Amino acid sequence: MGIKPSKIALLISGVFSLTALPTMAAESNQSITDETITVTGTRFDRTSQQQLTVINTVERADIERLNPKSVADVLETMPGVSVVRNGGAGQNVSVSLRGTNSSHVLVIVDGVKIGSATLGSVSFNTLSAENIERIEVLKGPRASVWGSDAIGGVIQIFTRQLKSDEGYIAAEYGSNEYLRGSASVGLAHGNGSSTLAVNHEQSDGYDVYQGAESETDDDGYQRNSFSLKGEQNLNEQWQVLWSGQYDKGHTEFDDIYGSGAADETDYANHVWHVGTQYSGEQLSSKLTLSQSRDYNENYRGDQKPQQTVDYETKRQQVSWNNQYDVTEGLNVNAGVDWANEAVLGDYAQDERDILGAYILVGQQWEQLLAEVAVRYDDVENIDSETTYNVSLAYQLNDQWRVSATTGTAFKVPTFNDLYWPGSGNPELLSETSTSYDITLDYRHEAVNAYISVFKNDIDNLIAWAPTGAYDDYGWEIWLPDNINQAEITGVELSAQFALLNFEHQVSYTYLDAEDATTGDMLVGRSESELNYSLSYQWQEFDLLANYHYQSKRYEGYDQYLDAYHQVDLSLGYAVTDNWQLRVKANNIFDEEIISKANYLSPGRELFLSVSYNAL
């Protein structure tokens, strides 16, 4: 199956119609085309005009108006991002970029890779949205800069950062006995500053799974987050940087088979880094040492004594990254990454080293911008991988730019895939991909829009397969193997514009994602997703309305989950310059929303928060 030409034509015509908006938008006297600085594309600061990949961002002010209960709530509002939930805010969540697997998304916190090396996934439900300053989402492969996992893209989360003597304190109460308390303060120390932030959340929850007769209790959660982030300027060129985040909590879930298995988990995750940075006229250089830990203790809550099962992943990392401006139009980025991954458990191999080196060259010739990146990764006991990205952009005029990129990426097999006792396959290869992307951008006054057509072919996908051998009981032995392929094509549209004193954001993603071995649609995917947000500021009031549409989602075996519509409202009132009240209503029409079979979303929810900001 390919992308239907009629749908592409319709989408492109929609983008071209946006050129009529500046005339109407001028009445609002607002501009949203200020230059956005991002770092995920090259690891160094770049403006949006210097980037050759699609990068969407969410800032702290947007997060506060959205008032999310999870990081997934924030990500779901962004184009090309699809979220599948096992229930509400405290439950497991998988995040997909442009139709790829959730394990094909590299997730980074303050420059440090996080996630489990045993499962190959990230526990988004353990992260607190209250401790986030900014999120950048890069679309398409970026293994040529970041290494393994970046097949679908990169999500980078930046923790809270306040100026000296700034601070805030907030409290919130809402549906399902939800309770939150948060505080943060910026501290000065000589020629530097640090930000300290703490957050506590808890909820009694609700019964997330329908059909488990032995699991009809509410599934609540609590989470505590602590973060510290700072910098110290040694002189005009040298800085010392540090950040750390600790997340600890408890989640209740359902044993969906009623087998008496675990239905509660305690987790304690952390990520930290320390480093130094040099900024000269032509050369910038960063050297960082970091560690991330993913730890879970699973057990059944009604068993005494409790039988626990522990899972732990630790990742030590050292990175040295450099950027050199050779001439006004020519720059070179290069770096080396080393990581050691270690897991807890009775694995045949419980740790491995990964060494990677990359170089990226960018050149500007008036209207033409070009970029080439190449990276080599050597993974212990697995074949090495060489990946690349080649990109070109041409500025047609002051408003229009067209860009094209192609690249490769890979995903290293997890420890469970390779070495799980009794069912691992140490002969596995890395999953690999080749992708193509053409993007048309439009920027003028109060309009910022793009349309992107993309294709991603993924090979060597790991799935369970029969081996032809039999165990002592006559059962055929199945093991993970590189047997599957996927072909993903799609169109992504996004537009931001100001019109009649309102700020509008609209995004639409059309996806044709199929299993190349069977021709079936990939499980968990929808053909269409639409997001629309409307924001308005009037005196001391601000209003944000969000609409999300998800078309029917494929569940396998010719089964589909129903399409759904969700509308959320957030209303804020500034009582004084420092005090603010906010009311947030989720799913105001109380629609039954199921993104994974038999897992219910919480229905209509209402929250009230009060905050004090010291400016």
Side-chain angles (χ1 to χ4, degrees):
M1 292 187 294
I3 303 177
K4 298 172 179 61
S6 60
K7 292 200 175 185
I8 294 181
L10 180 61
L11 290 169
I12 293 177
S13 66
V15 171
F16 276 87
S17 69
L18 290 172
T19 58
L21 288 173
T23 303
M24 296 181 288
E27 300 176 25
S28 68
N29 293 318
Q30 300 179 66
S31 176
I32 58 174
T33 58
D34 295 337
E35 224 31 287
T36 299
I37 305 297
T38 59
V39 302
T40 305
T42 63
R43 298 192 173 194
F44 287 87
D45 291 352
R46 291 288 178 92
T47 67
S48 56
Q49 291 302 299
Q50 294 172 317
Q51 295 285 3
L52 288 172
T53 55
V54 176
I55 302 178
N56 304 117
T57 62
V58 176
E59 304 292 344
R60 182 65 220 170
D62 303 317
I63 296 173
E64 290 178 355
R65 285 193 295 269
L66 184 63
N67 194 17
K69 297 299 163 282
S70 69
V71 175
D73 292 346
V74 182
L75 295 172
E76 195 169 35
T77 65
M78 307 180 78
V81 181
S82 186
V83 174
V84 175
R85 308 169 190 263
N86 289 19
Q91 302 298 312
N92 281 338
V93 138
S94 64
V95 176
S96 171
L97 296 184
R98 291 186 170 180
T100 57
N101 291 339
S102 59
S103 60
H104 294 159
V105 179
L106 175 63
V107 182
I108 301 166
V109 174
D110 291 331
V112 183
K113 178 181 178 179
I114 65 170
S116 169
T118 53
L119 296 176
S121 59
V122 172
S123 299
F124 285 98
N125 58 309
T126 67
L127 299 173
S128 169
E130 191 63 25
N131 276 2
I132 295 175
E133 180 71 24
R134 171 187 176 87
I135 300 177
E136 295 179 5
V137 178
L138 180 151
K139 312 297 178 56
R142 208 57 177 170
S144 59
V145 173
W146 290 100
S148 177
D149 298 5
I151 288 178
V154 182
I155 297 174
Q156 180 154 205
I157 297 170
F158 301 88
T159 52
R160 292 295 293 265
Q161 189 164 15
L162 301 178
K163 297 178 181 178
S164 300
D165 302 323
E166 288 185 343
Y168 79 88
I169 187 169
E172 185 173 11
Y173 178 77
S175 299
N176 299 316
E177 299 301 315
Y178 174 84
L179 184 65
R180 172 176 66 88
S182 306
S184 183
V185 63
L187 304 172
H189 39 74
N191 195 17
S193 64
S194 292
T195 299
L196 175 66
V198 294
N199 181 69
H200 171 79
E201 295 174 76
Q202 65 182 53
S203 173
D204 288 350
Y206 64 99
D207 188 16
V208 300
Y209 190 84
Q210 60 180 359
E213 295 182 0
S214 62
E215 293 277 359
T216 58
D217 59 327
D218 290 340
D219 301 305
Y221 67 92
Q222 66 175 20
R223 56 187 174 213
N224 299 285
S225 298
F226 170 87
S227 67
L228 176 66
K229 188 173 186 176
E231 61 183 26
Q232 185 72 37
N233 297 312
L234 304 180
N235 53 43
E236 292 183 357
Q237 287 81 35
W238 287 94
Q239 280 184 312
V240 177
L241 308 168
W242 59 87
S243 73
Q245 179 162 320
Y246 179 70
D247 299 296
K248 181 179 176 64
H250 171 81
T251 299
E252 299 169 353
F253 52 96
D254 281 338
D255 168 21
I256 63 175
Y257 302 109
S259 60
D263 61 1
E264 296 187 33
T265 184
D266 293 330
Y267 63 86
N269 304 334
H270 71 243
V271 56
W272 59 260
H273 92 270
V274 293
T276 182
Q277 177 172 302
Y278 171 82
S279 300
E281 291 185 4
Q282 290 180 279
L283 175 66
S284 296
S285 184
K286 303 176 186 177
L287 178 64
T288 60
L289 170 67
S290 60
Q291 183 188 86
S292 64
R293 178 202 191 218
D294 188 274
Y295 174 79
N296 290 272
E297 182 180 66
N298 296 343
Y299 56 92
R300 182 155 190 91
D302 57 9
Q303 287 182 351
K304 295 187 177 10
Q306 292 174 343
Q307 301 297 316
T308 63
V309 180
D310 297 342
Y311 301 93
E312 183 180 45
T313 293
K314 277 189 178 180
R315 185 178 291 107
Q316 317 278 354
Q317 302 174 69
V318 179
S319 296
W320 181 38
N321 300 290
N322 305 273
Q323 177 174 273
Y324 185 73
D325 296 325
V326 182
T327 63
E328 184 176 348
L330 176 63
N331 58 75
V332 177
N333 290 43
V336 178
D337 297 306
W338 171 86
N340 173 267
E341 296 180 338
V343 299
L344 176 70
D346 186 21
Y347 292 87
Q349 175 109 11
D350 59 7
E351 68 174 301
R352 65 188 177 198
D353 290 336
I354 303 173
L355 181 64
Y358 73 94
I359 184 169
L360 180 151
V361 180
Q363 174 71 59
Q364 175 88 50
W365 298 278
E366 297 182 350
Q367 289 90 358
L368 182 64
L369 178 62
E371 181 183 277
V372 177
V374 179
R375 180 182 174 106
Y376 174 82
D377 284 274
D378 181 63
V379 185
E380 187 176 1
N381 297 320
I382 300 175
D383 286 348
S384 61
E385 296 289 339
T386 300
T387 52
Y388 70 87
N389 272 86
V390 178
S391 305
L392 287 173
Y394 186 77
Q395 194 73 38
L396 302 171
N397 54 39
D398 291 341
Q399 292 81 41
W400 293 95
R401 187 178 85 153
V402 62
S403 58
T405 183
T406 182
T408 58
F410 72 103
K411 162 71 177 176
V412 173
T414 68
F415 279 84
N416 284 359
D417 293 331
L418 293 163
Y419 309 119
W420 183 264
S423 62
N425 180 3
E427 302 301 319
L428 289 173
L429 303 175
S430 293
E431 299 175 336
T432 59
S433 75
T434 302
S435 72
Y436 309 88
D437 180 296
I438 298 177
T439 301
L440 182 65
D441 289 279
Y442 178 82
R443 295 170 60 87
H444 180 66
E445 295 180 359
V447 179
N448 186 353
Y450 72 83
I451 185 169
S452 187
V453 180
F454 56 88
K455 187 177 191 300
N456 200 346
D457 296 328
I458 308 174
D459 296 318
N460 293 329
L461 284 169
I462 297 171
W464 287 88
T467 62
Y470 294 85
D471 63 18
D472 294 339
Y473 300 97
W475 294 96
E476 188 170 17
I477 298 173
W478 287 54
L479 293 177
D481 202 356
N482 298 103
I483 61 171
N484 282 351
Q485 295 177 302
E487 295 179 356
I488 302 172
T489 52
V491 180
E492 181 179 301
L493 165 76
S494 178
Q496 298 173 268
F497 55 94
L499 176 62
L500 302 176
N501 291 318
F502 289 88
E503 297 288 342
H504 307 258
Q505 293 188 39
V506 60
S507 65
Y508 172 74
T509 304
Y510 170 77
L511 198 64
D512 183 6
E514 70 171 32
D515 183 333
T517 58
T518 65
D520 294 335
M521 190 173 187
L522 294 179
V523 173
R525 274 62 165 192
S526 294
E527 185 180 83
S528 297
E529 286 193 52
L530 173 68
N531 291 295
Y532 173 68
S533 71
L534 174 72
S535 59
Y536 181 73
Q537 182 82 39
W538 178 71
Q539 296 183 5
E540 289 81 20
F541 291 91
D542 69 83
L543 173 69
L544 176 65
N546 276 307
Y547 167 75
H548 177 75
Y549 168 73
Q550 186 91 35
S551 69
K552 63 180 183 179
R553 179 175 261 143
Y554 186 58
E555 275 294 296
Y557 304 104
D558 293 325
Q559 301 295 314
Y560 290 85
L561 298 178
D562 290 340
Y564 63 83
H565 307 260
Q566 179 173 343
V567 179
D568 304 331
L569 291 177
S570 177
L571 177 64
Y573 174 67
V575 181
T576 68
D577 289 341
N578 303 103
W579 287 95
Q580 185 180 67
L581 297 174
R582 183 167 298 279
V583 177
K584 176 67 182 296
N586 290 335
N587 192 12
I588 62 174
F589 296 115
D590 199 24
E591 181 158 351
E592 183 177 84
I593 296 174
I594 301 177
S595 62
K596 187 172 182 179
N598 298 315
Y599 285 95
L600 298 171
S601 288
R604 185 186 296 115
E605 296 178 298
L606 186 65
F607 304 92
L608 174 64
S609 64
V610 57
S611 61
Y612 175 83
N613 289 276
L615 305 175

